[in-house]
Amino acid sequence: MAALQTWLDGKYKITWNGKIYGIASVDGEDATLEGPEFPEDHEEKGINKRKLKMGNFEETDQQIYDATGKRNYEVKIINNGNPEDEGFGVVTDYGKCITVKGSFGFTYTWDWIEEEEAKSVKDDLEHDMDPYESPPNHYTLRPGHVGKFIWLSGAPGFGKSTTARRMMETHGFVYYEGDCFFSKKNPYLPQSENSAIEGLLSAKYLKHVPKETAAIIHRSGKEWEKAFKGEDSDLSEVFNVMCENILKERKRVGGDWVVAMAVPNRKMRDLIKEKLGSELVFVVLNLDKDLQLERLEPRVETLGSKFNEILFAMEFEPVCEDEENTIDLKITRDMDLDEVVKAILDNISC
C-alpha cells in the first residue's frame, strides 16, 4: 500500500443515481472494474482499468462539499483506456468511501464492501440483464406486419424520447430508444410515469452483445466527442450497425414504429434513410434555445452541469429544403405533448 494512500484495498460497489453499476477491485493505485458497463472484451484496451493518484487538487464543488465536508479533492481517478477521462474524489469513512465527480460533472461513489457481498452484487448485475438477441418487450408481436416508420431526431432536450413514449402510449407505436443501442441496453422502454432520462437510465443492459458490435459502439465514442464539439465527425459505421439491428427487430416485432435518436447532420440522415428504406420518415424536432435550456435544467442533478452544457452547445444541421421524407417540426412553448404527437402524425399523413 502506497505511503499516502488513504483508501482501503479490496472490493468497492460503484453507485450512481441510486443504482449499482459495477464492482471495483482496488489494489493500491490500480483498480479493475467489473459489471455490465465494463465487459471483459474491454480489458485489452484498458477501458475497465483505473489508476488512483493521491494529491491536493482543486476545490470541491458545492455538491461534493455538502456530501463530504471536504474542501479539496484528494484523489484523481484516471481511465487507462482514455487518459482524458478522469474524475476527482475525496475519501471518507476511514478509507471506505470515495465520492467522485466524473469528467462530465456527475457524482458517483465507490463504497468498500466485503468479498461475499461483492460476489452477490456481481451475480445480481449479471442476472438483471436481457439477451441481445430478441430482447424482451411488452408488445404483441406481429412478425412481418410492419406499418408506419418514423425517426424522431433533434438536439438533446427537444423531446424525442418523451414524444416517442407518448406515441407508444396513445397510438400503439413500438418505441425503439436509440440511446439504448449506444449504451448496449434493451431499446424497448416500458410504459412508465418516470421521465424519459430516468427511463433510459433504468433500462436493463444486454448480455451477449456481439464483440464486433460492442467494438463499433465503443469506437463511435470518439466521433460523438467530435460532434459534441462541432467538429467534423463520421458516425456512419455505428449508424450502419444500428440500422441493421432496427431492420431485424422491426421485422421480428412488427407494427408501427418510432425511433428516438439524435442524428447530427444531413449526411447521417441520408445514410439512415438509405439503409432503412423509403418507408422511413424523419421528423426533426426544432425549438428555441431558451426552451431547450429549460428542458435540460432538470437533468443537472442526475447528469451534472458540465454534461448539460455540452449537450446545450451541440450543433445540429437543420433540415434542407431538398431533403426527401424529412419534416422540420417547430415546437412552441404553448404546445402540449399530445399536440406535438398530433402534428407529427398529421404531417406524415400528408
Side-chain angles (χ1 to χ4, degrees):
M1 184 179 292
L4 295 178
Q5 180 177 322
T6 57
W7 58 86
L8 299 180
D9 286 347
K11 304 292 187 181
Y12 290 75
K13 61 181 178 182
I14 305 170
T15 306
W16 174 51
N17 197 37
K19 182 177 180 180
I20 299 174
Y21 279 82
I23 295 292
S25 299
V26 177
D27 182 10
E29 292 187 339
D30 298 312
T32 300
L33 310 186
E34 301 173 84
E37 282 260 357
F38 321 103
E40 292 181 2
D41 59 330
H42 276 174
E43 287 187 6
E44 296 178 4
K45 306 179 183 67
I47 298 301
N48 68 332
K49 302 292 185 181
R50 298 292 184 271
K51 183 71 72 174
L52 281 65
K53 293 289 187 181
M54 285 296 300
N56 185 25
F57 301 104
E58 63 189 62
E59 288 188 5
T60 55
D61 68 5
Q62 191 63 44
Q63 185 180 17
I64 296 290
Y65 176 74
D66 289 344
T68 67
K70 295 201 172 184
R71 291 290 186 185
N72 289 85
Y73 295 109
E74 56 194 350
V75 57
K76 178 164 65 173
I77 301 179
I78 305 166
N79 182 340
N80 291 11
N82 180 14
E84 295 180 3
D85 176 16
E86 57 184 28
F88 291 87
V90 297
V91 182
T92 56
D93 194 20
Y94 304 99
K96 291 185 176 182
C97 178
I98 308 175
T99 304
V100 185
K101 179 70 70 172
S103 57
F104 285 117
F106 52 82
T107 301
Y108 59 94
T109 61
W110 289 19
D111 295 288
W112 190 90
I113 54 177
E114 298 284 355
E115 290 277 350
E116 192 63 30
E117 183 180 351
K119 182 180 183 302
S120 176
V121 168
K122 287 170 61 177
D123 289 344
D124 289 344
L125 288 171
E126 184 174 344
H127 291 150
D128 194 34
M129 297 175 74
D130 286 335
Y132 175 80
E133 293 296 334
S134 304
N137 57 71
H138 61 282
Y139 303 105
T140 299
L141 301 186
R142 293 183 287 168
H145 296 275
V146 294
K148 297 182 181 69
F149 199 7
I150 301 171
W151 188 300
L152 300 183
S153 183
F158 278 25
K160 301 177 296 295
S161 298
T162 302
T163 303
R165 184 162 69 175
R166 182 56 64 91
M167 293 171 71
M168 169 186 71
E169 293 169 346
T170 60
H171 290 81
F173 275 78
V174 174
Y175 160 34
Y176 181 105
E177 177 52 61
D179 279 337
C180 283
F181 177 82
F182 285 88
S183 303
K184 300 188 288 293
K185 291 184 171 184
N186 189 331
Y188 301 115
L189 301 185
Q191 295 185 10
S192 175
E193 294 184 0
N194 61 7
S195 69
I197 191 67
E198 289 169 338
L200 172 62
L201 294 175
S202 63
K204 291 188 177 184
Y205 283 96
L206 297 174
K207 54 187 174 183
H208 309 311
V209 178
K211 286 191 174 182
E212 182 57 24
T213 298
I216 289 171
I217 292 172
H218 173 65
R219 286 198 295 269
S220 75
K222 292 292 185 182
E223 298 303 316
W224 278 112
E225 288 180 14
K226 294 177 185 176
F228 287 150
K229 298 174 183 177
E231 301 172 359
D232 288 339
S233 60
D234 184 3
L235 292 159
S236 56
E237 182 183 41
V238 73
F239 273 125
N240 266 310
V241 174
M242 181 182 181
C243 286
E244 290 171 3
N245 183 260
I246 289 171
L247 286 171
K248 180 182 71 174
E249 285 298 304
R250 184 173 179 240
K251 182 179 179 180
R252 178 179 77 92
V253 177
D256 294 328
W257 264 57
V258 57
V259 177
M261 180 68 209
V263 180
N265 53 48
R266 177 179 179 171
K267 180 181 177 182
M268 291 299 102
R269 290 195 294 266
D270 287 345
L271 179 146
I272 291 168
K273 285 184 284 187
E274 180 182 350
K275 290 287 293 185
L276 298 184
S278 59
E279 298 171 291
L280 180 70
V281 178
F282 253 95
V283 179
V284 180
L285 305 181
N286 183 13
L287 68 160
D288 294 333
K289 279 288 189 178
D290 60 337
L291 182 54
Q292 179 193 13
L293 189 60
E294 288 179 22
R295 291 185 172 191
L296 287 174
E297 186 62 28
R299 302 184 185 184
V300 170
E301 184 175 353
T302 300
L303 300 179
S305 57
K306 182 178 179 180
F307 192 53
N308 247 20
E309 291 168 3
I310 293 171
L311 296 179
F312 183 69
M314 189 175 179
E315 295 292 335
F316 282 73
E317 184 178 359
V319 175
C320 302
E321 289 185 4
D322 61 339
E323 279 193 72
E324 296 181 356
N325 286 9
T326 306
I327 297 165
D328 179 24
L329 182 62
K330 178 70 173 182
I331 299 173
T332 60
R333 186 181 297 276
D334 60 347
M335 293 174 70
D336 65 28
L337 192 53
D338 290 318
E339 289 173 324
V340 174
V341 171
K342 183 178 185 303
I344 291 170
L345 296 180
D346 287 347
N347 270 280
I348 67 169
S349 298
C350 294

